[in-house]
Every structure is written in structure tokens, then in C-alpha cells.
Amino acid sequence: GENVEQHPSTLSVQEGDSAVIKCTYSDSASNYFPWYKQELGKRPQLIIDIRSNVGEKKDQRIAVTLNKTAKHFSLHITETQPEDSAVYFCAASKMDFGNEKLTFGTGTRLTIIP
Amino acid sequence: EAGVTQSPTHLIKTRGQQATLRCSPISGHTSVYWYQQALGLGLQFLLWYDEGEERNRGNFPPRFSGRQFPNYSSELNVNALELEDSALYLCASSLVGRSFFGQGTRLTVV
């Protein structure tokens, strides 16, 4: 089955700087890669996702890049703010014609230092 | 439009008892997924239901089971509770793609 590795497990960044979280996946058939943000005591929230037919996707300060050859994808957060502090999870799945379960990475605890 | 809702929010059970957790998906979503999140750890896939059928299950013992009803809501049952079953149980629903999570049920086994 699919295996997703996520690095780093913790990341501290000065407010205003950029943060990068990286994930690798094992199943070359995976074609859908979402990122979730989980604040303390709250549910994971989908913040951005990318499908394998594109290499990059941006949404304001958040971007995701995908390298299918190397089987890795990354989350980039620019101009970080205190409210970006949370645990971030990457995930991978095969989305063909229906739904499919997600395999999650182990999470990155991001701390923004004011 | 209502999001994914789970009940109860908190549940305290004694070792050996049974727990039943409930999930209502977003209207129109046919798939429901259950995940276990132990304290400080990641999301471990438990079960996936779609159109009333169990499609896949994670690496959990058979005492973790569930079902999906005709209205696509779902129930997770955990039998013979053990202390290590204490965790946040998250339900997610999806319709051809994006998954959205409920707020979770915090199960404490004492």
C-alpha cells in the first residue's frame, strides 16, 4: 500500500519568513495530494490540494509543488503569520473515477515566532 | 450547508465496554472515512464506507467495526475497549475527491 513520509516533524520560523514542509510517497499511481492544517483541539482543515496533472498550485500565501518523477511534494507558506502555527499533514491517494482513502504523513508542528 | 458532524463530542468508557460513535456526512457525500488520532500522533486510517459497503479497512483488530446507513451516515463501534483505544476519532466525508473532517469524538477509556 501507499506510504507517505513527512519532514520535518517540527519547524520553527520567524514571523514573516517562509516555511517549507516536504513529503514523499511510495505509490507511483497516487494522483491526488491534499494538505491539511490542524490547530490545537480542532478538526483538520483542507488548505490546498494538487492533482498529478499539474506541477504547482498557489492560493495567496500558500503553494504546493509536485515532482512526480521523484515522488515528492511540498507545501510552501510565505510571509508567515502567528495564525499559521498549527500541525500540518500531507496526504496521498489514487483518485480515478470515485473516492479513495487518504494515506497521511505523520505531521509537522509549525511554530511561528513573533 | 452543514459540514460533517460527529456525536458525541466526548465519551468516557470503562475498559471492556463497548463504544458507539456516530457521523453525519456533508449532504450528497457518499463516502465516509474513520480515522484514529492518538494524542500527539498522526491520523491512522480505520475504515472506509461508500454507498453502504465497507470498501477498505486499516490495520486495526476486528473489534473495530462499523456500518453505513442508507442516508450515508455512519457508525463506528469499538468492542472490548482497551486503554490504548483512548484517542480522538475523526470522521471525514468526500464526494469524488476532497475529504472534509468532522470535529471528532474524544474517547477516553479508564
Side-chain angles (χ1 to χ4, degrees):
Chain A
E2 175 66 277
N3 182 51
V4 177
E5 294 190 356
Q6 183 172 346
H7 300 281
S9 57
T10 61
L11 179 61
S12 293
V13 172
Q14 206 72 34
E15 182 179 353
D17 288 350
S18 295
V20 180
I21 302 170
K22 298 181 179 181
C23 290
T24 60
Y25 60 100
S26 61
D27 189 345
S28 56
S30 288
N31 57 12
Y32 175 65
F33 308 94
W35 286 87
Y36 287 84
K37 173 185 180 182
Q38 188 177 29
E39 296 175 79
L40 191 62
K42 296 191 176 180
R43 73 186 77 189
Q45 288 199 307
L46 178 67
I47 56 172
I48 195 168
D49 56 6
I50 191 169
R51 296 184 189 267
S52 60
N53 57 346
V54 298
E56 184 176 0
K57 183 177 179 181
K58 287 183 180 179
D59 183 3
Q60 299 183 330
R61 296 186 297 108
I62 293 173
V64 57
T65 59
L66 171 66
N67 183 326
K68 285 190 293 183
T69 303
K71 290 191 283 187
H72 68 69
F73 57 112
S74 300
L75 178 71
H76 305 254
I77 305 175
T78 60
E79 301 173 10
T80 53
Q81 300 169 3
E83 53 265 36
D84 295 329
S85 293
V87 178
Y88 291 80
F89 292 97
C90 64
S93 73
K94 288 176 282 191
M95 292 288 181
D96 294 320
F97 301 103
N99 298 317
E100 183 55 77
K101 72 174 183 70
L102 293 168
T103 300
F104 284 88
T106 48
T108 296
R109 183 173 300 279
L110 175 63
T111 302
I112 306 302
I113 305 166
Chain B
E1 179 183 300
V4 179
T5 57
Q6 293 185 242
S7 63
T9 307
H10 294 86
L11 189 58
I12 300 175
K13 291 286 186 178
T14 303
R15 190 171 54 182
Q17 285 188 316
Q18 179 196 34
T20 298
L21 289 62
R22 296 179 176 84
C23 173
S24 292
I26 293 171
S27 177
H29 285 196
T30 60
S31 273
V32 170
Y33 310 84
W34 288 94
Y35 293 87
Q36 182 195 65
Q37 187 174 35
L39 191 62
L41 297 179
L43 294 142
Q44 302 299 316
F45 169 69
L46 265 166
L47 289 159
W48 168 29
Y49 292 95
D50 184 57
E51 297 283 1
E53 305 268 336
E54 182 181 300
R55 300 295 185 189
N56 206 340
R57 67 177 293 129
N59 189 24
F60 281 84
R63 57 191 186 83
F64 287 84
S65 65
R67 54 181 171 166
Q68 186 178 35
F69 300 98
N71 66 353
Y72 303 116
S73 67
S74 178
E75 204 172 79
L76 173 68
N77 295 294
V78 189
N79 294 320
L81 284 164
E82 300 179 1
L83 296 178
E84 52 264 35
D85 296 333
S86 294
L88 180 67
Y89 289 84
L90 289 159
C91 168
S93 75
S94 72
L95 178 64
V96 193
R98 294 171 172 164
S99 289
F100 298 93
F101 283 87
Q103 80 281 11
T105 293
R106 172 74 62 189
L107 173 64
T108 303
V109 183
V110 298

